[in-house]
Amino acid sequence: MKSLIGARGNDSAIAAGQPRRCELLLLAVVGLYMLAGATVLYLMHPASGLMAPAGAVLGTVAFITVSLIWQVAGFRGDPFLLPLVAVFSATSLVFLYRINPFYAWRQFVWLLAGLVVLLLITFLLHNYRVLADYKYIYALAGAVALLLPIFFGVEQGGARSWLNLGGFQVQPSEFVKILLVLFLASFLSENRLVLSEGTRSVLGIGLPGPQEWGPLLGMWGISLLLLIFQKDLGTALIYFGTFLAMVYISTARVAYVFFGLALFLAGAAGSFQLFGHVRQRVEVWLNPWRYVETSGYQVVQSLFALAAGGMTGAGLGAGHPGYIPAVHTDFIFAAITEETGLLGGMAVIVLYMFFVYRGFRIALSARNDFAALLAAGLTALMGLQAFIIIGGVTKLLPLTGVTLPFVSYGGSSLVANFIILGLLLVISHEAGEYHAN
């Protein structure tokens, strides 16, 4: 623990006390929320025993234990992010248990693993700035991780992006997105001025040379090409959006945004022509009723669930999530909204917005360019992923098949999201600032 607090001694522990007490209070409220949901499920199905309430108590104890360890160690990380993640996790466990207890208990095990990873990051990665020295290793590791499923992976939902490791499956692209952000944060912080001002002038516009934009476009192009071969275009969209957001944050040049949008439109048109499942998803997005008995069934059932929820919802356990295929992964937001209503769905969206707000506050308070870009990139990544999947479930966007962060069932996604949380927290710890507003 001494490595975490460095030489600041007892003063840092005292300074950390106030935000950690606020964090503990919020976690206690979240615990009551999770216990209330678990109790309702127990009263509905008493024959299942006390599994749901026991899981709620153990989950609450796990989150509070993390907070207490941080308080003892003098950790000064943002006090709101962990309670936000606890709300997402509580909602996930309650609704997964309501859908299928098997999924809930597997998710609970992955949740505990994620919390252990979170603690390891906050204790061992206090000098996170050394991560800026390995940008090309991230590029190489990401390319290898994306290649493996192409040759050794299994296909699910039209995407060949999973590795079967016996008792469980791993989705490497969930971890590659972190490597992508690390690479971009390192490269952009090193070349920010050149990318912003350029090294040559064309028609009065300053442009960078190939040595600056070449590695960026190379990493971006390799990632997207490999994902196209995997047919995991939802993840490719997240990668592209994160890439574009970080370049704009670093340079503040609108020209890069327009150039990136042109690339996106060209890629979307090409994917529509080349891949049947992409074309099918666009057609389902435009008119799901035409394919109601085949490929449009999921989207139509999701829309029915959203409509059935009304303003206040059918009530926990009173909906029919079983009619939606893959409801525990891609469509869990539809199940939540059916039973908690528009108010519950909006509450989830607002919580994600608050998570994004806290992430950008951390970026603004960071002490160096690498930390600021890393925090902003990770935050943009989380926000884009939540927006894309919620947009797909509500038919605002074509369905892409990505997970809802911290809520959808999936071990790879959950552990990767806890790594993102840990990186955001160590950046805010170094900044040493507590922003209550």
Side-chain angles (χ1 to χ4, degrees), residues 15 17 50 104 134 161 197 224 237 272 275 298 333 356 430 433 436:
L50 296 174
Y134 305 102
S161 57
E197 301 174 3
L224 293 191
L237 179 60
F272 182 83
F275 303 109
Q298 279 183 307
F333 181 77
V356 170
E430 185 195 51
E433 297 183 19

Side-chain angles (χ1 to χ4, degrees), residues 116-295:
V116 171
V117 170
L118 176 64
L119 279 175
L120 289 175
I121 290 174
T122 55
F123 280 111
L124 302 179
L125 203 59
H126 57 285
N127 188 21
Y128 66 89
R129 282 176 288 182
V130 299
L131 296 174
D133 299 332
Y134 305 102
K135 53 181 174 294
Y136 294 113
I137 293 179
Y138 304 140
L140 177 61
V144 171
L146 289 175
L147 275 171
L148 289 176
I150 294 176
F151 298 102
F152 307 106
V154 295
E155 187 169 317
Q156 291 186 12
R160 191 179 181 86
S161 57
W162 298 84
L163 290 175
N164 194 339
L165 301 180
F168 60 95
Q169 293 180 335
V170 175
Q171 191 173 14
S173 60
E174 290 290 341
F175 301 96
V176 174
K177 64 187 182 184
I178 303 174
L179 295 176
L180 176 65
V181 173
L182 284 168
F183 169 81
L184 289 172
S186 177
F187 188 87
L188 291 171
S189 62
E190 185 178 312
N191 298 275
R192 184 176 62 84
L193 291 177
V194 175
L195 289 168
S196 300
E197 301 174 3
T199 57
R200 64 199 67 190
S201 179
V202 178
L203 299 177
I205 301 175
L207 296 176
Q211 66 272 23
E212 284 82 30
W213 55 257
L216 282 177
L217 291 184
M219 178 63 180
W220 170 78
I222 290 172
S223 299
L224 293 191
L225 284 174
L226 292 173
L227 287 169
I228 285 172
F229 281 113
Q230 292 181 11
K231 297 183 180 180
D232 190 358
L233 300 180
T235 305
L237 179 60
I238 294 174
Y239 282 23
F240 175 82
T242 304
F243 167 82
L244 194 59
M246 291 188 68
V247 170
Y248 177 73
I249 290 170
S250 174
T251 63
R253 295 189 65 170
V254 179
Y256 289 146
V257 176
F258 286 114
F259 178 68
L261 289 176
L263 285 177
F264 168 75
L265 292 176
S271 299
F272 182 83
Q273 296 296 328
L274 292 174
F275 303 109
H277 77 285
V278 176
R279 187 160 52 250
Q280 186 180 66
R281 286 189 175 184
V282 173
E283 292 172 352
V284 167
W285 170 54
L286 295 174
N287 185 12
W289 309 101
R290 181 181 176 184
Y291 307 94
V292 65
E293 295 182 355
T294 54
S295 55

Side-chain angles (χ1 to χ4, degrees), residues 371-387:
L373 284 168
L374 180 59
L378 294 172
T379 302
L381 175 67
M382 294 292 287
L384 280 169
Q385 185 165 333
F387 172 73

Side-chain angles (χ1 to χ4, degrees), residues 325-378:
V327 66
H328 59 296
T329 55
D330 300 358
F331 284 90
I332 195 167
F333 181 77
I336 293 171
T337 306
E338 181 182 9
E339 300 195 349
T340 63
L342 177 63
L343 295 177
M346 290 299 296
V348 172
I349 294 173
V350 169
L351 289 174
Y352 278 113
M353 292 172 65
F354 191 55
F355 186 100
V356 170
Y357 167 75
R358 298 306 304 178
F360 282 126
R361 286 299 299 265
I362 291 171
L364 289 171
S365 65
R367 294 184 176 180
N368 58 79
D369 287 344
F370 172 71
L373 284 168
L374 180 59
L378 294 172

